[in-house]
mmCIF file of all heavy atoms in Angstrom:
data_model
loop_
_atom_site.group_PDB
_atom_site.id
_atom_site.type_symbol
_atom_site.label_atom_id
_atom_site.label_comp_id
_atom_site.label_asym_id
_atom_site.label_seq_id
_atom_site.Cartn_x
_atom_site.Cartn_y
_atom_site.Cartn_z
ATOM 1 N N GLU A 423 106.350 81.417 73.501
ATOM 2 C CA GLU A 423 107.848 81.585 73.519
ATOM 3 C C GLU A 423 108.471 80.841 74.727
ATOM 4 O O GLU A 423 109.515 80.163 74.555
ATOM 5 C CB GLU A 423 108.207 83.060 73.558
ATOM 6 C CG GLU A 423 107.828 83.867 72.343
ATOM 7 C CD GLU A 423 108.486 83.358 71.064
ATOM 8 O OE1 GLU A 423 109.679 82.929 71.197
ATOM 9 O OE2 GLU A 423 107.840 83.413 70.010
ATOM 10 N N PHE A 424 107.863 80.942 75.891
ATOM 11 C CA PHE A 424 108.400 80.249 77.047
ATOM 12 C C PHE A 424 108.211 78.735 76.916
ATOM 13 O O PHE A 424 109.065 77.948 77.350
ATOM 14 C CB PHE A 424 107.908 80.756 78.359
ATOM 15 C CG PHE A 424 108.762 80.270 79.505
ATOM 16 C CD1 PHE A 424 109.936 80.886 79.838
ATOM 17 C CD2 PHE A 424 108.345 79.190 80.218
ATOM 18 C CE1 PHE A 424 110.672 80.396 80.909
ATOM 19 C CE2 PHE A 424 109.055 78.649 81.289
ATOM 20 C CZ PHE A 424 110.225 79.290 81.635
ATOM 21 N N PHE A 425 107.131 78.299 76.339
ATOM 22 C CA PHE A 425 106.894 76.850 76.150
ATOM 23 C C PHE A 425 108.002 76.263 75.303
ATOM 24 O O PHE A 425 108.585 75.234 75.587
ATOM 25 C CB PHE A 425 105.516 76.609 75.512
ATOM 26 C CG PHE A 425 105.180 75.192 75.392
ATOM 27 C CD1 PHE A 425 104.509 74.563 76.473
ATOM 28 C CD2 PHE A 425 105.521 74.437 74.281
ATOM 29 C CE1 PHE A 425 104.186 73.187 76.369
ATOM 30 C CE2 PHE A 425 105.193 73.103 74.179
ATOM 31 C CZ PHE A 425 104.501 72.461 75.236
ATOM 32 N N GLU A 426 108.345 77.001 74.175
ATOM 33 C CA GLU A 426 109.417 76.566 73.357
ATOM 34 C C GLU A 426 110.753 76.465 74.154
ATOM 35 O O GLU A 426 111.554 75.518 73.960
ATOM 36 C CB GLU A 426 109.576 77.518 72.151
ATOM 37 C CG GLU A 426 110.647 77.130 71.163
ATOM 38 C CD GLU A 426 110.788 78.097 70.015
ATOM 39 O OE1 GLU A 426 109.879 78.857 69.745
ATOM 40 O OE2 GLU A 426 111.907 78.124 69.410
ATOM 41 N N PHE A 427 110.996 77.523 74.908
ATOM 42 C CA PHE A 427 112.219 77.508 75.692
ATOM 43 C C PHE A 427 112.265 76.418 76.739
ATOM 44 O O PHE A 427 113.287 75.757 76.951
ATOM 45 C CB PHE A 427 112.369 78.885 76.372
ATOM 46 C CG PHE A 427 113.689 79.017 77.166
ATOM 47 C CD1 PHE A 427 114.900 78.769 76.658
ATOM 48 C CD2 PHE A 427 113.618 79.402 78.522
ATOM 49 C CE1 PHE A 427 116.078 78.938 77.374
ATOM 50 C CE2 PHE A 427 114.764 79.508 79.328
ATOM 51 C CZ PHE A 427 116.029 79.276 78.670
ATOM 52 N N SER A 428 111.157 76.194 77.374
ATOM 53 C CA SER A 428 111.097 75.106 78.431
ATOM 54 C C SER A 428 111.330 73.729 77.828
ATOM 55 O O SER A 428 112.006 72.918 78.445
ATOM 56 C CB SER A 428 109.752 75.099 79.221
ATOM 57 O OG SER A 428 108.721 74.689 78.372
ATOM 58 N N GLU A 429 110.807 73.516 76.661
ATOM 59 C CA GLU A 429 111.101 72.215 75.970
ATOM 60 C C GLU A 429 112.516 72.108 75.569
ATOM 61 O O GLU A 429 113.120 70.996 75.601
ATOM 62 C CB GLU A 429 110.163 72.084 74.765
ATOM 63 C CG GLU A 429 108.677 71.863 75.126
ATOM 64 C CD GLU A 429 108.489 70.634 75.983
ATOM 65 O OE1 GLU A 429 108.412 69.483 75.416
ATOM 66 O OE2 GLU A 429 108.447 70.735 77.244
ATOM 67 N N ARG A 430 113.151 73.176 75.208
ATOM 68 C CA ARG A 430 114.537 73.131 74.874
ATOM 69 C C ARG A 430 115.365 72.818 76.103
ATOM 70 O O ARG A 430 116.332 72.050 76.069
ATOM 71 C CB ARG A 430 114.980 74.481 74.266
ATOM 72 C CG ARG A 430 116.478 74.603 73.847
ATOM 73 C CD ARG A 430 116.782 75.808 73.070
ATOM 74 N NE ARG A 430 118.170 75.826 72.637
ATOM 75 C CZ ARG A 430 118.594 76.653 71.746
ATOM 76 N NH1 ARG A 430 117.895 77.563 71.207
ATOM 77 N NH2 ARG A 430 119.945 76.659 71.374
ATOM 78 N N LEU A 431 114.962 73.437 77.260
ATOM 79 C CA LEU A 431 115.714 73.137 78.522
ATOM 80 C C LEU A 431 115.541 71.662 78.811
ATOM 81 O O LEU A 431 116.461 71.002 79.326
ATOM 82 C CB LEU A 431 115.109 73.978 79.611
ATOM 83 C CG LEU A 431 115.422 75.502 79.598
ATOM 84 C CD1 LEU A 431 114.587 76.167 80.675
ATOM 85 C CD2 LEU A 431 116.911 75.734 79.809
ATOM 86 N N HIS A 432 114.365 71.086 78.596
ATOM 87 C CA HIS A 432 114.143 69.646 78.914
ATOM 88 C C HIS A 432 114.956 68.794 78.042
ATOM 89 O O HIS A 432 115.577 67.792 78.500
ATOM 90 C CB HIS A 432 112.681 69.379 78.815
ATOM 91 C CG HIS A 432 112.372 67.958 78.978
ATOM 92 N ND1 HIS A 432 112.550 67.261 80.153
ATOM 93 C CD2 HIS A 432 111.857 67.013 78.098
ATOM 94 C CE1 HIS A 432 112.173 66.003 80.039
ATOM 95 N NE2 HIS A 432 111.768 65.794 78.790
ATOM 96 N N ARG A 433 115.059 69.143 76.802
ATOM 97 C CA ARG A 433 115.916 68.303 75.902
ATOM 98 C C ARG A 433 117.356 68.350 76.276
ATOM 99 O O ARG A 433 118.066 67.388 76.196
ATOM 100 C CB ARG A 433 115.683 68.784 74.435
ATOM 101 C CG ARG A 433 114.369 68.546 73.823
ATOM 102 C CD ARG A 433 114.353 68.728 72.324
ATOM 103 N NE ARG A 433 114.622 70.108 71.986
ATOM 104 C CZ ARG A 433 113.662 71.056 71.842
ATOM 105 N NH1 ARG A 433 112.396 70.732 72.073
ATOM 106 N NH2 ARG A 433 113.990 72.282 71.520
ATOM 107 N N ARG A 434 117.797 69.498 76.781
ATOM 108 C CA ARG A 434 119.238 69.637 77.150
ATOM 109 C C ARG A 434 119.519 68.950 78.450
ATOM 110 O O ARG A 434 120.511 68.173 78.564
ATOM 111 C CB ARG A 434 119.590 71.098 77.229
ATOM 112 C CG ARG A 434 121.013 71.374 77.825
ATOM 113 C CD ARG A 434 122.096 70.879 76.947
ATOM 114 N NE ARG A 434 122.090 71.596 75.657
ATOM 115 C CZ ARG A 434 122.782 72.763 75.463
ATOM 116 N NH1 ARG A 434 123.415 73.324 76.414
ATOM 117 N NH2 ARG A 434 122.746 73.347 74.267
ATOM 118 N N PHE A 435 118.709 69.100 79.486
ATOM 119 C CA PHE A 435 119.031 68.662 80.857
ATOM 120 C C PHE A 435 118.285 67.370 81.200
ATOM 121 O O PHE A 435 118.777 66.633 82.094
ATOM 122 C CB PHE A 435 118.753 69.746 81.830
ATOM 123 C CG PHE A 435 119.463 70.975 81.660
ATOM 124 C CD1 PHE A 435 118.877 72.152 81.297
ATOM 125 C CD2 PHE A 435 120.839 70.988 81.829
ATOM 126 C CE1 PHE A 435 119.578 73.326 81.073
ATOM 127 C CE2 PHE A 435 121.614 72.125 81.665
ATOM 128 C CZ PHE A 435 120.984 73.292 81.304
ATOM 129 N N GLY A 436 117.154 67.111 80.624
ATOM 130 C CA GLY A 436 116.431 65.874 80.921
ATOM 131 C C GLY A 436 115.815 65.888 82.362
ATOM 132 O O GLY A 436 115.402 64.819 82.829
ATOM 133 N N ARG A 437 115.779 67.035 82.955
ATOM 134 C CA ARG A 437 115.215 67.114 84.327
ATOM 135 C C ARG A 437 114.727 68.549 84.554
ATOM 136 O O ARG A 437 115.154 69.471 83.759
ATOM 137 C CB ARG A 437 116.214 66.715 85.405
ATOM 138 C CG ARG A 437 117.434 67.684 85.471
ATOM 139 C CD ARG A 437 118.514 67.134 86.422
ATOM 140 N NE ARG A 437 119.511 68.147 86.711
ATOM 141 C CZ ARG A 437 120.586 68.394 85.936
ATOM 142 N NH1 ARG A 437 120.752 67.638 84.790
ATOM 143 N NH2 ARG A 437 121.453 69.298 86.234
ATOM 144 N N CYS A 438 114.043 68.766 85.583
ATOM 145 C CA CYS A 438 113.499 70.143 85.924
ATOM 146 C C CYS A 438 113.964 70.606 87.254
ATOM 147 O O CYS A 438 113.400 71.546 87.875
ATOM 148 C CB CYS A 438 111.950 70.116 85.901
ATOM 149 S SG CYS A 438 111.194 69.612 84.333
ATOM 150 N N HIS A 439 115.006 70.015 87.843
ATOM 151 C CA HIS A 439 115.487 70.341 89.151
ATOM 152 C C HIS A 439 117.042 70.272 89.192
ATOM 153 O O HIS A 439 117.620 69.581 88.268
ATOM 154 C CB HIS A 439 114.919 69.477 90.233
ATOM 155 C CG HIS A 439 115.260 68.034 90.046
ATOM 156 N ND1 HIS A 439 114.509 67.204 89.210
ATOM 157 C CD2 HIS A 439 116.245 67.290 90.517
ATOM 158 C CE1 HIS A 439 115.048 65.999 89.206
ATOM 159 N NE2 HIS A 439 116.089 66.028 90.018
ATOM 160 N N GLY A 440 117.617 70.949 90.180
ATOM 161 C CA GLY A 440 119.065 70.796 90.342
ATOM 162 C C GLY A 440 119.856 71.407 89.171
ATOM 163 O O GLY A 440 121.002 70.945 88.867
ATOM 164 N N ILE A 441 119.323 72.396 88.477
ATOM 165 C CA ILE A 441 120.090 73.021 87.385
ATOM 166 C C ILE A 441 120.644 74.358 87.864
ATOM 167 O O ILE A 441 119.892 75.270 88.241
ATOM 168 C CB ILE A 441 119.088 73.285 86.182
ATOM 169 C CG1 ILE A 441 118.467 71.973 85.763
ATOM 170 C CG2 ILE A 441 119.910 73.887 84.967
ATOM 171 C CD1 ILE A 441 117.352 72.160 84.714
ATOM 172 N N PRO A 442 121.928 74.508 87.787
ATOM 173 C CA PRO A 442 122.588 75.754 88.309
ATOM 174 C C PRO A 442 122.141 76.983 87.502
ATOM 175 O O PRO A 442 121.800 76.855 86.299
ATOM 176 C CB PRO A 442 124.101 75.454 88.109
ATOM 177 C CG PRO A 442 124.229 73.972 88.097
ATOM 178 C CD PRO A 442 122.957 73.499 87.449
#
Side-chain angles (χ1 to χ4, degrees):
E423 295 298 326
F424 191 80
F425 186 89
E426 180 183 338
F427 180 56
S428 71
E429 290 300 278
R430 182 170 183 168
L431 289 173
H432 175 63
R433 289 192 298 271
R434 172 67 64 87
F435 299 112
R437 64 186 192 279
C438 303
H439 61 277
I441 305 173

